[in-house]
Amino acid sequence: MGAARGRGISRGGRLGFSSVVAGAAGMAKSSGGEDGPRAPADDGSLSGTRENLVQGADAVTTDELSSLGSDSEANGFAERRIDKFGFIVGSQGAEGALEEVPLEVLRQRESKWLDMLNNWDKWMAKKHKKIRLRCQKGIPPSLRGRAWQYLSGGKVKLQQNPGKFDELDMSPGDPKWLDVIERDLHRQFPFHEMFVSRGGHGQQDLFRVLKAYTLYRPEEGYCQAQAPIAAVLLMHMPAEQAFWCLVQICEKYLPGYYSEKLEAIQLDGEILFSLLQKVSPVAHKHLSRQKIDPLLYMTEWFMCAFARTLPWSSVLRVWDMFFCEGVKIIFRVGLVLLKHALGSPEKLKACQGQYETIEQLRSLSPKIMQEAFLVQEVVELPVTERQIEREHLIQMRRWKETRGELQCCSSPRLHGAKAILDAEPGPRPALQPSPSIRLPPDAPLPGSKATPLKQVQKEQRKHAKASGQLNKSSASGHATVVAAGGDACSPLDVPQRDPVSQDPDLAHHHSRESLISQESEDTYL
């Protein structure tokens, strides 16, 4: 299994990520390839800024003009139909019929997630298992970006480093990485509305996030697999929040994955192969007989967190669980795909050689990647964090015996949101966002046991009558409001009137069918 191990691992001046699986696992061409876009002219370079991303017609090559990422193609973009994920209908990234969550169920889930996000520290401390179950069911789309920030710890990192992203954004950057990043921009989800236009706001923000990371971690620089990760984040949140989530993924969830020589991904390839022997002996035996190195099929899966492999609805569900439970989810997804692609004698009849086997893993059956099926299989697969860590120690020992010490000294991997929160050094300010939902006075929160408003007013009248103050009580009873927790309170308990009730235009603006947060990152979608 060592034949292919050393090839294409070093990123060198460019990437090396794609060369690991070039010709076998169907990765995108390396940026330095002769078929890729040529380097832009000196006067069209980004030079560490975002203003010059839109190049002139003389700086665009034939290859660029033929892609959907070009400005000429974007002129007719308004006429194309877009699916609910933002992909052009009929394109490679778009999906057909999907299993829609009933609207009432979605609203209930939104209400529950709003309650969790508004009391995040308490939920993480006492009800983490409930958070995990709700992540497995799927985070509501309107709150997914905010939930990912809270789960990953990106929200805390942003609060601990105010102004840091702006500082990195204004810095010129290392030309060595800027040139490579610029070449990769149009390759990231070119059929998505955010990235369809060369020089559009999506590509600009992607450039900013990736450049900022090379300045934040200059010893790591840039790896091609970081681009799709950052692009997925940008589809759900602004650039600054996406940057800190990317930092958490690279440092806490997948440490060492994007460093030079990619040693961490090689170790995880061996861990995956060892776990496969327990999950699917048939698939393990076949891959062993064919002498197929794990790097040939799992590199793109793991480094891109399946963002370039699965249907989009499945990608989002996998990421929901990944942010909550950590790399265990990535291993489980990989094992499920291998098990159902190569785990029976019938399926192996078409895989007589290495090439056929790799093609089978490149062209996975839509059935095994379907959202409901895949998520159920992943949740039920008995692969634990303890098993992964035990295998990690075994593979580390074998590595040292055969190759010596690791050159990359990355921080220990943290398995999910709970481990990241527990590892946070020292006390920190509690995450207490502003109230995220406004209700009319007679509508308590769903699931709360609030007393109906009419009953409260009746009791107040009885009390006022007994005190000889009926008239006064009647005048003030109409001003009763509902507190954020769903309990009724008197006007004396409210220090000031709601500005929405004072301004009819504001009231109309905040009257929405969807229960969305007022925070900027939540309304970004």
Side-chain angles (χ1 to χ4, degrees), residues 99-112:
E99 296 182 6
E100 296 290 344
V101 178
L103 185 60
E104 185 60 30
V105 175
L106 182 61
R107 292 294 176 261
Q108 291 176 1
R109 290 182 181 178
E110 286 178 331
S111 178
K112 292 175 181 178

Side-chain angles (χ1 to χ4, degrees), residues 202-467:
Q203 290 193 12
Q204 289 186 30
D205 284 348
L206 182 58
F207 178 82
R208 296 169 60 206
V209 170
L210 295 174
K211 184 200 77 172
Y213 189 82
T214 64
L215 294 170
Y216 186 74
R217 287 287 179 260
E219 68 279 6
E220 289 190 15
Y222 166 72
C223 178
Q224 186 182 28
Q226 290 174 312
I229 295 288
V232 175
L233 294 171
L234 284 169
M235 294 178 194
H236 295 86
M237 62 192 77
E240 184 175 19
Q241 285 84 346
F243 168 75
W244 289 114
C245 284
L246 177 65
V247 168
Q248 292 296 90
I249 290 174
C250 296
E251 294 185 354
K252 304 294 174 59
Y253 288 88
L254 307 173
Y257 266 37
Y258 311 105
S259 59
E260 191 174 6
K261 298 188 182 301
L262 311 180
E263 293 172 325
I265 196 69
Q266 297 181 71
L267 279 171
D268 278 359
E270 299 298 341
I271 295 172
L272 177 72
F273 190 68
S274 180
L275 294 172
L276 181 63
Q277 187 172 14
K278 303 178 180 65
V279 173
S280 179
V282 173
H284 181 272
K285 183 177 180 180
H286 176 77
L287 291 171
S288 298
R289 185 186 298 121
Q290 298 293 338
K291 294 182 171 59
I292 298 176
D293 192 284
L295 289 175
L296 295 177
Y297 53 83
M298 58 77 66
T299 305
E300 182 184 47
W301 291 358
F302 277 51
M303 294 186 72
C304 300
F306 294 96
R308 294 171 61 171
T309 304
L310 300 174
W312 201 248
S313 58
S314 301
V315 170
L316 297 179
R317 294 291 300 279
V318 167
W319 279 48
D320 289 347
M321 295 185 290
F322 167 64
F323 275 116
C324 183
E325 302 181 57
V327 76
K328 170 178 66 177
I329 297 300
I330 304 297
F331 277 99
R332 286 185 180 182
V333 174
L335 292 168
V336 168
L337 296 181
L338 290 169
K339 173 185 175 182
H340 288 280
L342 305 172
S344 66
E346 293 77 14
K347 293 175 181 176
L348 293 180
K349 290 180 180 179
C351 304
Q352 299 300 317
Q354 287 187 352
Y355 177 79
E356 291 81 7
T357 301
I358 293 296
E359 282 299 308
Q360 180 86 337
L361 295 177
R362 285 183 60 191
S363 306
L364 293 167
S365 168
K367 176 185 175 182
I368 66 177
M369 297 189 292
Q370 192 267 338
E371 175 186 350
F373 175 83
L374 180 63
V375 170
Q376 188 67 23
E377 288 286 313
V378 168
V379 170
E380 295 178 353
L381 192 68
V383 173
T384 64
E385 300 165 7
R386 183 174 298 180
Q387 288 176 295
I388 294 173
E389 288 305 312
R390 183 167 58 245
E391 284 296 334
H392 185 264
L393 293 176
I394 294 173
Q395 298 303 329
M396 281 285 292
R397 185 169 62 250
R398 292 178 180 174
W399 181 288
K400 292 179 180 179
E401 292 173 355
T402 57
R403 312 185 199 184
E405 294 291 332
L406 291 171
Q407 296 186 21
C408 174
C409 299
S410 56
S411 56
R413 177 158 53 198
L414 299 179
H415 289 272
K418 181 65 174 175
I420 291 174
L421 180 65
D422 293 342
E424 193 66 38
R428 61 175 177 81
L431 294 174
Q432 294 180 347
S434 58
S436 302
I437 180 172
R438 295 179 183 275
L439 294 175
D442 57 346
L445 282 173
S448 66
K449 299 181 179 180
T451 306
L453 179 62
K454 293 183 178 180
Q455 183 177 345
V456 174
Q457 292 175 334
K458 184 176 180 181
E459 293 176 356
Q460 288 178 337
R461 290 192 186 98
K462 289 182 179 180
H463 179 72
K465 185 176 181 180
S467 305

Side-chain angles (χ1 to χ4, degrees), residues 67-117:
S67 71
L68 271 176
S70 66
D71 289 331
S72 59
E73 290 287 336
N75 290 336
F77 177 65
E79 299 178 1
R80 298 189 179 101
R81 291 192 300 119
I82 305 298
D83 69 10
K84 70 175 186 178
F85 300 119
F87 290 93
I88 300 172
V89 174
S91 67
Q92 184 178 2
E95 297 191 36
L98 298 172
E99 296 182 6
E100 296 290 344
V101 178
L103 185 60
E104 185 60 30
V105 175
L106 182 61
R107 292 294 176 261
Q108 291 176 1
R109 290 182 181 178
E110 286 178 331
S111 178
K112 292 175 181 178
W113 270 95
L114 283 169
D115 178 55
M116 289 196 306
L117 294 170

